[in-house]
Amino acid sequence: PKDMTYSRRIALSLMKTKTWYNPQLKEEQDKEKEDNNNNNNDADDDDHSKPPVLTSPLRESRTGGYIKLEKPSLEKSWGYFEHV
């Protein structure tokens, strides 16, 4: 977009390629590697496989309702910062 600053363009580029700028990127890469290793080992370890761990993105609030938890987003942060 034309209204996007050069700083934000640089930040968007960095967050997709550099783990020192976006630590969540490393977590995603590690998870992909683990998934690939698990897929390769599934044929060998059918008898010894562990059940999947199920986690819910919902947490109970103090008022009795549920809150959806989201990871912090650098993209949303930059968008907010530019429009403040």
Side-chain angles (χ1 to χ4, degrees):
K2 292 181 180 181
D3 60 340
M4 188 183 298
T5 64
Y6 289 113
S7 299
R8 185 173 180 195
R9 291 179 189 180
I10 292 169
L12 289 173
S13 175
L14 290 175
M15 76 176 65
K16 294 176 184 174
T17 58
K18 304 295 181 187
T19 57
W20 51 263
Y21 188 78
N22 183 5
Q24 291 179 10
L25 184 63
K26 179 161 177 54
E27 292 174 8
E28 292 170 6
Q29 291 172 346
D30 290 345
K31 190 173 187 178
E32 286 178 16
K33 286 180 185 177
E34 185 178 309
D35 289 344
N36 288 339
N37 288 340
N38 288 341
N39 289 340
N40 292 339
N41 294 335
D42 281 347
D44 301 336
D45 296 335
D46 285 338
D47 297 335
H48 305 292
S49 63
K50 296 179 183 178
V53 177
L54 302 176
T55 58
S56 172
L58 298 177
R59 296 291 183 258
E60 192 169 354
S61 71
R62 294 180 193 169
T63 60
Y66 286 92
I67 302 171
K68 182 177 180 182
L69 298 179
E70 295 183 16
K71 290 185 177 181
S73 170
L74 287 171
E75 293 174 358
K76 290 180 182 178
S77 301
W78 267 99
Y80 175 79
F81 176 74
E82 281 191 343
H83 293 91
V84 172

